[in-house]
Amino acid sequence: MEDEIELKTAPADFRFPTTNQTRHCFTRYIEFHRCTTAKGEDSNECERFAKYYRALCPGEWVDKWNEQRETGTFPGPL
């Protein structure tokens, strides 16, 4: 018997009431990296933020942001 996969997206957030989810995506990405910095890379508490930004953000953006974090040019507050 195969395991069923339940697909979910990030929950609604009152800070982002419009249909344009760009800021929501960026904020969740930052929240994830702040969480891993504070609680460690292996913290299960941070996994929800990872799920949220992965559901909201285009892969190209995440790749670019990861590259910018590695080179120290990321524009957001981490």
Side-chain angles (χ1 to χ4, degrees):
M1 187 173 189
E2 292 184 37
D3 293 328
E4 289 189 29
I5 298 173
E6 183 178 350
L7 299 177
K8 291 185 178 181
T9 190
D13 191 321
F14 70 92
R15 297 175 293 178
F16 311 103
T18 64
T19 56
N20 183 344
Q21 293 296 303
T22 303
R23 191 166 217 30
H24 190 178
C25 153
F26 188 69
T27 300
R28 295 299 189 175
Y29 180 84
I30 290 173
E31 287 173 338
F32 170 72
H33 287 287
R34 283 184 177 168
C35 182
T36 58
T37 298
K39 300 179 189 266
E41 294 284 328
D42 299 326
S43 174
N44 288 335
E45 295 177 44
C46 302
E47 193 56 34
R48 67 180 179 169
F49 296 119
K51 287 180 184 177
Y52 297 164
Y53 89 75
R54 289 177 185 141
L56 293 166
C57 302
E60 296 84 18
W61 293 5
V62 173
D63 292 342
K64 180 68 172 177
W65 293 338
N66 287 339
E67 181 182 308
Q68 289 174 334
R69 280 187 322 99
E70 290 171 9
T71 61
T73 60
F74 184 72
L78 292 176

